[in-house]
């Protein structure tokens, strides 16, 4: 059964989305919707050397704030990987202003929800709340980043929580293959380090190491603050100064990470006894700033559709078969299949890649744009939370926050010839990770072109 949203006329969906984003009455007239939309103003400014991007929407009843520490894995070493994840977790257990349990009591009093995101490119701590709790919520988030106490209880809890998550992931072939994927696909690159840490690094990171890291790395030049909702510019400027004005500026400057080192086809086999086998394949793509990116994204999406159809829908060989684009500064395409027939599935994947790269496969005039692209764009603006995420993504990964709504326009530049060209250029030198019964598929099958 098709999802209900796919049957709605786009104009109706757009009006509904605007109402949801601005929190106006569901029976609002077109004129009222237009006035509410006009209340939304996009700003970019600097407060004490900290970049701030803000979407003003006075009509909404919520505020979303994301505070980013840029750099991600590039700030780490094998010994410190996971340290920012431990920082965010341990800081819940007390700050200098609110020690021990008084911090959690103070936070509960705001009624706000915490938002976190720990990736290879950044560490983010933020909140979603009501305007009346904005100042208190922002101050407490600031305390977690600038004055955590790192007491024994908090550090131990953070270490065990991260270790438990790591062991749980390693406990399944699927999870282990995912963990190994970055170390294989990005060997020699900062992305080979895990922002969530390793067993070894989590075991040695202590309160002293985290305190020293905060002093050296939590600096204003690493920060990006993104706000959307019913907070005025004056409120945001005052909050940023209170929370972060006393930090050192530092000398950090965000630049895109280097591309992955050149690779040939590689195969990493992880023998596991399980009913299901897992196959991951990674291939390099262009950065989001490249003119090739829309065609690469379309080619990878098209490949995913064909793999799903060939592997899952026609033959029932997998409950999960896909190809997608990673959402990071160093872009990759990712193949993923779970199956009990890895030899057959691998052959089918290669057939679909050959199809996408064949100039005679796709009919002339095949359209890679649809209402689905418009729907995706609308969904990225549907709430204050979605808006801050989209603005930050565009600023960090595309170099300009104003490009947050540009993807549909960029996709209109895609043609069958550009999609095929992108497929030929990038869908090669795949790094395969296989976790499962190694007697069911030979290493040579991964390395061969067919």
């Amino acid at each position: 059964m098709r999802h209900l949203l796919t049957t709605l006329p786009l104009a109706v969906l757009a009006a509904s989305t605007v109402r949801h984003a601005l929190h106006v009455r569901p029976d609002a007239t077109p004129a009222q919707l237009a006035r509410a939309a006009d209340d939304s103003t996009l700003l970019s400014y600097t407060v004490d050397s900290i970049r701030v991007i803000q979407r003003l929407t006075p009509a909404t009843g919520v505020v979303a704030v994301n505070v980013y520490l840029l750099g991600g894995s590039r700030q780490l070493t094998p010994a410190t990987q996971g340290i920012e994840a431990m920082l965010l977790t341990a800081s819940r257990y007390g700050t200098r202003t609110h020690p021990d349990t008084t911090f959690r009591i103070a936070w509960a009093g705001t009624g706000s929800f915490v938002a976190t995101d720990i990736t290879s490119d950044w560490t983010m701590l933020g909140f979603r709340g009501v305007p009346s709790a904005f100042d208190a919520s922002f101050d407490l988030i600031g305390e977690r980043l600038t004055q955590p106490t790192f007491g024994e209880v908090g550090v131990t809890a953070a270490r065990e929580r991260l270790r438990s998550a790591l062991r749980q992931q390693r406990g399944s072939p699927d999870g282990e293959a995912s963990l190994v994927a970055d170390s294989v696909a990005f060997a020699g690159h900062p992305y080979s380090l895990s922002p969530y840490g390793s067993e070894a690094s989590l075991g040695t990171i202590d309160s002293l190491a985290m305190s020293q890291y905060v002093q050296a790395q939590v600096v204003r030049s690493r920060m990006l603050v993104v706000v959307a909702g019913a907070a005025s510019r004056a409120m945001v400027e005052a909050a940023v100064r209170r929370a972060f004005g006393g930090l050192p500026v530092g000398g950090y400057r965000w630049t895109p990470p280097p591309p992955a080192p050149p690779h040939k086809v590689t195969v990493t086999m992880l023998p596991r006894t399980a009913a299901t086998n897992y196959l991951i394949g990674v291939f390099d793509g262009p950065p989001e700033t490249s003119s090739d990116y829309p065609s690469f994204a379309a080619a990878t999406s098209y490949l995913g559709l064909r793999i799903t159809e060939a592997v899952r829908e026609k033959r029932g060989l997998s409950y999960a078969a896909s190809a997608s684009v990673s959402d990071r500064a160093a872009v990759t395409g990712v193949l993923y299949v779970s199956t009990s027939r890895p030899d057959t599935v691998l052959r089918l994947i290669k057939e679909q890649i050959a199809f996408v790269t064949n100039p005679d496969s796709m009919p002339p005039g095949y359209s890679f744009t649809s209402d689905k692209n418009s729907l995706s764009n609308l969904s990225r603006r549907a709430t204050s939370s979605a808006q801050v995420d989209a603005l930050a993504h565009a600023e960090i990964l595309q170099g300009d926050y104003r490009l947050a709504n540009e993807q549909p326009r960029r996709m209109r530049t895609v043609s069958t010839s550009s999609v095929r060209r992108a497929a030929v250029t990038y869908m090669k030198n795949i790094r395969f990770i296989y976790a499962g019964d190694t007697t069911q598929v030979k290493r040579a099958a991964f390395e061969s072109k067919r």
Side-chain angles (χ1 to χ4, degrees):
M1 180 177 179
R2 297 173 65 195
H3 193 283
L4 177 60
L5 288 180
T6 65
T7 66
L8 288 174
L10 190 58
V12 174
L13 178 61
S16 174
T17 304
V18 170
R19 291 190 186 99
H20 182 54
L22 300 178
H23 295 265
V24 298
R25 289 172 56 87
D27 58 348
T29 66
Q32 289 171 324
L33 280 173
R35 284 196 297 274
D38 287 342
D39 286 341
S40 177
T41 304
L42 194 56
L43 305 174
S44 174
Y45 51 92
T46 301
V47 179
D48 290 347
S49 303
I50 297 174
R51 179 78 182 281
V52 179
I53 298 169
Q54 182 177 4
R55 183 178 290 281
L56 292 165
T57 51
T60 188
V62 298
V63 180
V65 174
N66 286 1
V67 179
Y68 293 85
L69 286 175
L70 302 178
S73 296
R74 280 184 285 171
Q75 307 305 111
L76 306 176
T77 67
T80 62
Q81 56 185 330
I83 196 167
E84 292 190 2
M86 283 194 67
L87 160 62
L88 291 199
T89 307
S91 63
R92 297 174 58 248
Y93 292 85
T95 67
R96 289 194 300 274
T97 303
H98 292 87
D100 304 320
T101 58
T102 62
F103 180 87
R104 279 166 283 172
I105 294 171
W107 181 257
T110 68
S112 298
F113 295 94
V114 174
T116 61
D117 191 24
I118 302 169
T119 77
S120 300
D121 296 312
W122 59 70
T123 295
M124 185 277 285
L125 177 64
F127 67 90
R128 312 291 183 253
V130 296
S132 60
F134 174 83
D135 286 342
S137 301
F138 202 111
D139 290 349
L140 290 169
I141 289 295
E143 287 182 25
R144 286 183 61 177
L145 290 173
T146 63
Q147 50 171 291
T149 52
F150 297 132
E152 182 178 352
V153 171
V155 173
T156 300
R159 179 182 294 114
E160 290 310 309
R161 183 173 298 185
L162 291 169
R163 274 181 157 177
S164 176
L166 185 62
R167 290 166 185 159
Q168 185 175 1
Q169 190 169 5
R170 285 200 178 279
S172 70
D174 184 15
E176 184 171 21
S178 297
L179 283 173
V180 172
D182 274 348
S183 63
V184 170
F186 288 98
H189 187 276
Y191 280 7
S192 64
L193 299 175
S194 170
Y196 283 94
S198 65
E199 282 280 358
S201 66
L202 294 174
T204 58
I205 295 172
D206 56 17
S207 59
L208 177 60
M210 284 195 286
S211 296
Q212 292 173 339
Y213 188 88
V214 168
Q215 291 177 8
Q217 292 289 340
V218 180
V219 295
R220 283 180 274 163
S221 53
R222 278 192 68 195
M223 288 185 165
L224 171 69
V225 177
V226 187
V227 181
S232 69
R233 174 170 176 170
M235 290 170 63
V236 174
E237 289 183 345
V240 171
R241 287 195 178 95
R242 284 197 312 272
F244 307 124
L247 292 174
V249 175
Y252 180 83
R253 180 174 177 271
W254 165 264
T255 57
H263 288 277
K264 296 181 179 180
V265 173
T266 62
V267 186
T268 301
M269 307 284 275
L270 304 173
R272 294 293 181 270
T273 302
T276 303
N277 308 289
Y278 298 89
L279 188 158
I280 296 173
V282 182
F283 51 92
D284 297 324
E288 290 195 29
T289 52
S290 169
S291 59
D292 279 355
Y293 180 81
S295 298
F296 172 78
T300 306
S301 177
Y302 185 55
L303 175 63
L305 290 173
R306 293 198 59 83
I307 289 175
T308 299
E309 181 180 15
V311 173
R312 180 178 179 177
E313 295 179 2
K314 285 187 175 181
R315 296 171 177 83
L317 296 177
S318 174
Y319 63 82
S322 65
S324 59
V325 176
S326 68
D327 195 21
R328 295 193 286 191
V331 174
T332 55
V334 181
L335 309 171
Y336 176 89
V337 180
S338 60
T339 183
S340 60
R341 294 285 304 278
D343 53 345
T344 302
V345 165
L346 181 59
R347 175 178 56 79
L348 291 171
I349 288 174
K350 292 187 176 184
E351 287 177 0
Q352 305 320 306
I353 293 175
F355 182 94
V356 176
T357 56
N358 187 327
D360 299 321
S361 296
M362 289 178 284
Y366 185 91
S367 175
F368 290 92
T369 59
S370 67
D371 282 352
K372 182 179 180 181
N373 300 119
S374 298
L375 176 60
S376 176
N377 181 58
L378 285 168
S379 68
R380 291 180 72 124
R381 300 174 57 195
T383 63
S384 295
S385 182
Q387 289 167 16
V388 290
D389 291 342
L391 288 168
H393 179 109
E395 175 67 18
I396 300 170
L397 303 188
Q398 299 178 49
D400 189 343
Y401 64 95
R402 291 167 295 188
L403 298 177
N405 301 323
E406 285 290 290
Q407 192 64 6
R409 182 193 62 78
R410 294 185 76 194
M411 291 302 296
R412 286 195 292 271
T413 67
V414 169
S415 64
T416 53
S417 59
S418 69
V419 166
R420 176 188 170 272
R421 185 167 59 250
V424 171
T425 302
Y426 298 104
M427 290 180 184
K428 59 186 180 182
N429 298 330
I430 300 174
R431 281 86 77 196
F432 289 105
I433 300 91
Y434 174 77
D437 185 349
T438 55
T439 66
Q440 292 190 22
V441 61
K442 296 180 179 179
R443 178 181 294 271
F446 290 95
E447 298 170 340
S448 68
K449 293 185 178 181
R450 297 286 182 182

